[in-house]
Amino acid sequence: MARNASSLRTLPWYDRPSARTWRCAPAPADVRSFHSSLPDYSPTPLTDLPPLAAELGVGRVFVKDESSRLGLPAFKALGASWAVHRTLAERASNGAEPGPVTLVTATDGNHGRAVARTARLLGQRAHVFVPQGVHPRAVAAIAAEQAQVTEVPGPYDEAVRLADRAAAAPDAVLVQDTAWPGYEQIPGWIVEGYSTLCAEIDEQLAAAGIAQGPGLVAVPVGVGSLGQAVVTHYRSRPSERAPALLSVEPEAAACVLESLVLGEPVSVTTGETIMAGLNCGTPSSIAWPYLHCGLDAAVAVPDADSVRAAADLAALGVSSGPCGAAALAGLRAALTGADADARRTALGLGPHSEVVLLSTEGTTANPHSPAGPC
């Protein structure tokens, strides 16, 4: 159950005081080596932003800037490249006929483009299902990767259902970044792929003199796959100084927050949101146990807060789309307003704490209008 019911009436919020004591197994060590072998690989920046630290009353705020990752404007290429690599290797080891396969997926934008790019580079085919609400330029970017694109007149969950059906065709395989009972191996590989992002943060913080790691990490979540990767990374270490982990969602699609409050995974009816990449109605089945046990807190934010955060990050030199900027919007919501002191205490934050915000996409990943949802 969520603590502090009065907070829920003023801010969509959940916290779990025991999360920092929970532990799990780490991600495979060879994921980072795989990514390092790719021609376009280099670590993305971790940018220190003193003005945000001063505003939020903490020691330092760093932003992990995923606006250019393996040639694409979002972090999703990490998961897609590793999962496709593992999928093709598995097919070969099982004696599958040589020749191209069709990689099928559903997407709110970034994951589908990453799968399509990976397919094109490896001489495979891609078929991408796109739900309503994704900007036409994001759809065009997927098509530009030589993928077949099917636009779905319904929400993300419906696009996933149709992609799953299409993947039953011969020489087709579903490469989806959400899981459900009976479909878990490939989503698990996608989550493993995201671990490279966290490994880079460790190295970059150490170079900045913070060898003990951050005090808090704020992560935008849709179905929760990146959240699972973050929880896995920080809850698999024996260190006594475990960071607080905060998930951030749109108010129009807060399926993880709602599930945490109820204590079990549930689906929610999603609405329109400028945070299109987070507009998901059902948590991933493999992510849920990690989110339930390992997240310290969850918050949902309105579109206006994400737009403001993106503009503020741009003024500080960080290109961030509305989904990436949700991390800053969520931290602001947590540390300001009614009951902010209680939330700050729940997160273990003080005037010397170091915070990492995951900005998961650049402005070109999810085109939007500053006036409101597209």
Side-chain angles (χ1 to χ4, degrees), residues 16-23 235 242-243 245 292-297:
R16 184 173 183 270
S18 61
R20 265 160 277 181
T21 64
W22 185 74
R23 292 294 179 268
R235 300 295 185 242
L245 303 178
H292 184 226
C293 295
L295 283 176
D296 290 82

Side-chain angles (χ1 to χ4, degrees), residues 20 23 237-243:
R20 265 160 277 181
R23 292 294 179 268
R237 304 193 291 188
S239 170
E240 294 181 3
R241 188 179 189 269

